[in-house]
Structure formats: C-alpha cells, structure tokens
Amino acid sequence: MSVAVRVSVWILGVLVVVSAAVAVLALMQKQTLEGQNQSLHNQIADDQNKLADLTAKAKKLEDDANDLNNKIAQAQQDKTQIQSQYDGLKEKSDDLQAQLTQANSDRDDWKNRVDTITHERDNLMEKLNNQPVKIVYKDRIVQASAVDTSSSASAPVVDVTSNQGDQYWASVLKQKAALQIELEKAKAGMDDAALQVVNLKKQNSDLELEVQQLSNEKDEIIQKIKYGQDLADNLSIDLARSRNDQQAVNDRADKLKEENLELLSQIRDLNSTKLQLEQTVSRLTDDKDAMQKKLIETESVIQSRIDDIWKIKESLDRKLSENAPSSSEGSMELPPIIVNAPSNNQQQEQQVSAPAASKTEGSIISINQSNNFVIVDLGQQNSPVSIGNALKVYRDSNVIADLEVIQVRRDICAADIKDKSDELKVGDVVRFN
C-alpha cells in the first residue's frame, strides 16, 4: 500500500471521526436546546397560569372594592339620614327645653302671684280679724267687745243700720270669693304646669335616650365607615401589588418569549449546521466508499501482482535448481531479476543477500483470507526477518493473532496465520515475538 493511500485513509478516517463528533455534539446541543425550550414553554405556561390567577384575584379585589365603596356610600347616606334625624330630634329637644324653661318661668310667675295673693289675703284676713265692730243703735253706741275698746279707737265705725255696711261686707265677701277662685285657678294652673313639667321631663329623658342611642349608632356607623375605608385602602394596596406582580409576570413572559425566539433562531442555525454537517458526512462517506473501492481494487491488483511475483519466483527457483550444476561448473552468474509493480511503480530487485536492518515493528498491508496468510511490510532490507520467525499482531496494545513467516522478500514478507482472537485488518501492528 502506498503512502498516499495510507495518508488518504488516515485523513478520511479523521474526517469521519470529526464529522461524527460534530454530528454527536450538534445532536447533544439540539437535545439540550430542546430540553431548555421545553422547560421555557413549561415556565411560560406556569407564568400564564399565575397571570390568570392574579387577574382573577385582581378582578375579585376590584369587585370587593366596588362592594365596599357601595357599602361606604350607603353607610354615608345612612349617616346623613341619621344626622338629619339627630338634628331634628335635637331641635325638638331644644324646643321642648325652651317650652320647659317657659313652663318653669310661668310656674314661677304663677307661684309668685299665688304667694302675692295669699299674702294679700292673709293681710286682709288679719285686718278683718283685728278690726273692731261698732254697732250703732238709735239711742246708744254699744261696744261689740269691751276688751278691744282701747285698741279700736282708730278703727272705722260701721253703721249696721245703714246700707253701706252691708255693701262693704258684700264686697269683702265678693273679693274673698274672687280671691279664692283665683287661688283655686292658680292651684289648678300650678298643678297643670307641674304635670306639664313632669311630661316635659319625661319627654326630655326619652329624647336624651334617643339622642344617646343615635350617638351610639353614629359612632358605630363612623367605625364601620373607618373600617371600610381601611379595608378599601388595604384592597387598593393589594390591587396595586397584584398589578405590579402582573406587570412583572408580563415582563418575565416577554423576556422568556425573547429568549425562546433566540433559542429558536439558534436551533434553526444548528439545524442548518447539522444539515451542512450531514451533507459533509454524506459526501465524506461517499468519498470513503469510493476510496475503499479504490483500495480494494488496489489490494486486488497488489495481491495479483504478488501472486505473479511468487509464481515468477517459483519458476526462477525451479530454473535455478535445474541450472545449479552447470552454474557450479562454469561459475555462471545470473543477472538480477527486476519486477515492476503497477501499484507504486517501484523496482524490486531479487538479491541473494541483503544487509540487516534494525526495524522490528511493521504493519499488515494485505490479507488473503482464502489462503490464510498476510503480507507484512518487513523484509530482508529493512528488518532481520527470516522464514520461520514468530510474529504477533497488536491492536491497541492487545495481542489479537500469532503469525509464522513463510516467505521473505526485499521489503515484504508473507506470514501464515496460526492463531487469532479477532478479525485482522490492514494497518494492524506486527512485532517480533
């Protein structure tokens, strides 16, 4: 096998290995990117589900906020209505208080008048009781009371016989009756005023209770309104947070979409690179097949040439054996036989002896499966090989076969396959045992 063919084979093998490694690497990267893409799709789906949940929560919070706003508005209306009722009751209470004050003042006035009338009546009664009575007859004056004669000197004298005395007493009795009637009226007015005062006090206490109840209801409504406002503020904060979370989720989704698009572009680039590599691998495979065909053809040609050489050698050996006596007698020398090999166009010269070389390692250059022997690039010129030497075949530092040399030439030798643990290949290393 020529050096160019070996180099071509090695280059082809390296290209095949590199293309296979690149294809495997591209496949691994594709699988990794597909996994990342799948994970990104799953993450996008999760983010979309979270976004839907947040949207539902935000909508629910908005509905709750609207309900609270409606409740707050209704509570404010109730508060306004209760405030108006409270103001009306307060005005009514003020009116009742004013009426009560007026009734108290009227009661005091009537009481003062009654006291004044009672005082005047008492004075009049005292005057009537203390005034002496003179009875004037026609003949003499008779003292009504001897005891009070000295004290009644300045008292008026009443003539019982005259009509003026009767009129006086009638007027006194009439005034007394009028004073009693007025006194009764004043007492009745005082009793009515007292009843009115009691009723007004009762109404005032009832109004105070109602005002206290309304105040309590007002405080409760104010507390409810404050609680509703606090709850609305909290809901507004939660709504703002949910909107911020939704915005963050949207930004994350947009970022993931951008990364997904970038990964898709990378996948497309890798797919195109993969296609190019596959085309390169296919082209290299075709070149490899073509070169293998050429190698097979070359090996067949070399094998046929070797067979021809061996046939020529056998014929020469026979001729030499036949001409041996004549040559010894006449000391004839045969010219060297030159055989041209068509594979590499190198001349091979048959010589009887060749200088020994130090090469102890070679390689298989051809295999004849039908005759169970191989051709090794160890010959008389480049190594100390000889017929009957035992050789071993190595592959990756492992012995796979035992050989025995059966023919030796200038640059090559033929070795019989004695034992093998694996199929031999062209290029396997051969060493001396």
Side-chain angles (χ1 to χ4, degrees):
M1 182 183 296
S2 64
V3 178
V5 174
R6 288 183 183 179
V7 171
S8 300
V9 170
W10 283 109
I11 292 173
L12 181 61
V14 170
L15 289 174
V16 169
V17 171
V18 170
S19 60
V22 172
V24 171
L25 182 61
L27 182 62
M28 291 175 65
Q29 289 181 354
K30 181 181 178 182
Q31 291 177 354
T32 304
L33 291 173
E34 287 178 354
Q36 291 178 358
N37 190 12
Q38 185 66 30
S39 63
L40 287 173
H41 280 299
N42 295 329
Q43 192 171 2
I44 289 171
D46 294 335
D47 292 335
Q48 288 178 354
N49 294 326
K50 290 180 181 178
L51 179 62
D53 295 335
L54 289 173
T55 304
K57 289 181 180 179
K59 187 175 180 181
K60 186 176 180 181
L61 289 173
E62 288 180 355
D63 295 335
D64 294 336
N66 293 325
D67 294 336
L68 284 174
N69 290 326
N70 294 327
K71 289 180 180 180
I72 290 169
Q74 185 67 31
Q76 288 179 353
Q77 291 179 0
D78 295 337
K79 178 184 175 182
T80 305
Q81 186 176 1
I82 291 170
Q83 186 68 32
S84 62
Q85 293 178 0
Y86 175 75
D87 294 335
L89 291 173
K90 189 175 181 180
E91 290 178 357
K92 188 183 289 186
S93 176
D94 294 336
D95 294 335
L96 290 173
Q97 189 69 29
Q99 291 178 4
L100 180 63
T101 304
Q102 185 67 32
N104 289 325
S105 65
D106 293 337
R107 183 191 67 182
D108 294 334
D109 292 337
W110 280 104
K111 188 175 181 180
N112 292 326
R113 290 176 65 182
V114 168
D115 292 336
T116 303
I117 292 169
T118 304
H119 184 67
E120 290 177 355
R121 185 194 67 180
D122 292 336
N123 290 330
L124 288 173
M125 290 298 293
E126 186 178 359
K127 286 180 179 180
L128 287 173
N129 291 324
N130 294 326
Q131 184 179 4
V133 179
K134 284 185 177 181
I135 300 173
V136 179
Y137 294 94
K138 292 181 178 182
D139 295 332
R140 61 183 184 280
I141 298 173
V142 179
Q143 295 289 332
S145 175
V147 177
D148 297 331
T149 304
S150 59
S151 61
S152 62
S154 59
V157 177
V158 180
D159 189 2
V160 286
T161 59
S162 64
N163 293 327
Q164 293 179 354
D166 295 333
Q167 291 177 356
Y168 175 74
W169 289 110
S171 63
V172 168
L173 293 173
K174 187 176 180 180
Q175 289 178 359
K176 181 179 179 182
L179 289 173
Q180 288 179 352
I181 292 169
E182 289 180 358
L183 183 61
E184 293 295 332
K185 288 182 178 180
K187 287 182 179 181
M190 287 178 66
D191 294 334
D192 293 335
L195 291 174
Q196 289 180 359
V197 167
V198 171
N199 292 325
L200 289 173
K201 285 182 178 180
K202 186 177 180 181
Q203 291 178 0
N204 190 14
S205 62
D206 294 336
L207 289 174
E208 286 178 354
L209 291 174
E210 290 179 358
V211 169
Q212 185 67 29
Q213 186 177 0
L214 290 174
S215 299
N216 295 328
E217 292 178 356
K218 179 181 178 182
D219 294 334
E220 291 178 356
I221 291 171
I222 290 171
Q223 290 179 358
K224 288 181 180 180
I225 291 171
K226 186 177 180 181
Y227 175 74
Q229 289 178 353
D230 294 336
L231 186 58
D233 294 334
N234 293 327
L235 289 174
S236 300
I237 293 170
D238 293 335
L239 183 61
R241 288 178 179 174
S242 63
R243 287 178 179 174
N244 292 328
D245 294 337
Q246 184 178 1
Q247 185 66 30
V249 170
N250 290 327
D251 295 336
R252 178 64 177 170
D254 294 335
K255 187 176 179 181
L256 290 174
K257 286 180 181 178
E258 292 177 358
E259 291 179 355
N260 192 12
L261 292 174
E262 185 177 358
L263 289 172
L264 289 174
S265 64
Q266 291 179 1
I267 289 171
R268 285 195 294 269
D269 294 337
L270 289 172
N271 287 326
S272 62
T273 307
K274 180 185 175 184
L275 291 175
Q276 292 177 0
L277 290 172
E278 287 177 352
Q279 292 175 359
T280 304
V281 170
S282 178
R283 186 173 64 253
L284 291 173
T285 304
D286 295 336
D287 295 339
K288 178 185 175 183
D289 294 336
M291 291 184 73
Q292 284 180 351
K293 289 180 180 179
K294 290 181 180 179
L295 285 172
I296 292 170
E297 292 175 357
T298 305
E299 288 177 358
S300 63
V301 171
I302 291 171
Q303 189 66 38
S304 64
R305 294 301 181 184
I306 290 171
D307 294 337
D308 293 338
I309 290 169
W310 283 352
K311 289 179 181 179
I312 293 169
K313 185 257 181 187
E314 289 176 356
S315 63
L316 288 173
D317 290 336
R318 286 194 301 269
K319 289 180 180 181
L320 288 172
S321 62
E322 291 176 357
N323 296 326
S326 61
S327 61
S328 61
E329 293 176 358
S331 66
M332 258 178 79
E333 291 183 3
L334 294 175
I337 300 171
I338 299 172
V339 180
N340 294 324
S343 61
N344 54 7
N345 294 323
Q346 294 180 352
Q347 295 182 352
Q348 294 182 353
E349 183 178 357
Q350 181 70 27
Q351 295 180 354
V352 178
S353 63
S358 62
K359 184 177 180 181
T360 61
E361 181 178 335
S363 61
I364 299 174
I365 60 174
S366 178
I367 302 172
N368 193 330
Q369 298 289 346
S370 60
N371 295 320
N372 195 28
F373 69 91
V374 295
I375 305 298
V376 183
D377 58 351
L378 296 175
Q380 293 177 352
Q381 185 178 0
N382 56 13
S383 68
V385 67
S386 61
I387 296 173
N389 289 145
L391 303 176
K392 288 188 178 295
V393 182
Y394 292 87
R395 183 183 297 163
D396 297 332
S397 71
N398 294 323
V399 178
I400 61 173
D402 293 330
L403 305 177
E404 184 180 354
V405 179
I406 57 176
Q407 294 288 335
V408 180
R409 293 293 179 265
R410 181 175 178 273
D411 293 324
I412 59 174
C413 67
D416 192 9
I417 301 172
K418 295 297 182 180
D419 187 14
K420 64 178 180 179
S421 61
D422 196 358
E423 292 294 331
L424 300 180
K425 294 181 181 179
V426 175
D428 288 339
V429 178
V430 178
R431 295 174 185 170
F432 283 95
N433 190 3

